[in-house]
Amino acid sequence: MGIGFRELLIILVIALVLFGAKKLRHVGTDLGAAVRGFKKAVNEGDDEQTRQIDEFTGKDADFKDSAQTTKENSKSA
């Protein structure tokens, strides 16, 4: 279902005819920069999500610890 070698070659030839060699080089550079920027934004989003999950998990762990301490204290009394 993916793009085969023939289809990729046809797309590249059409792009070369439409844009020309010099313009195609600039288009490729701009496209590469856009992809790098997108990947950076996705990675930053993943890092932020992981940080938030860690914070939330840490709060839950504190709550569970205090709940166990409260139970132990109530059994002692």
Side-chain angles (χ1 to χ4, degrees):
M1 206 64 196
I3 296 178
F5 180 73
R6 271 189 180 164
E7 290 87 5
L8 185 60
L9 187 61
I10 291 171
I11 291 170
L12 290 175
V13 168
I14 291 172
L16 184 62
V17 169
L18 288 176
F19 295 112
K22 289 183 181 181
K23 182 88 171 180
L24 189 60
R25 181 175 169 187
H26 293 293
V27 168
T29 304
D30 293 342
L31 184 61
V35 169
R36 280 190 301 274
F38 179 74
K39 284 184 179 181
K40 182 180 176 184
V42 168
N43 288 337
E44 287 175 357
D46 287 345
D47 292 344
E48 177 67 20
Q49 183 180 15
T50 303
R51 185 187 62 76
Q52 288 178 353
I53 288 173
D54 289 344
E55 284 179 7
F56 183 72
T57 305
K59 289 178 184 174
D60 266 356
D62 291 343
F63 177 74
K64 288 177 184 176
D65 289 341
S66 21
Q68 286 177 345
T69 305
T70 305
K71 284 181 183 179
E72 289 172 2
N73 291 339
S74 65
K75 287 181 183 178
S76 301

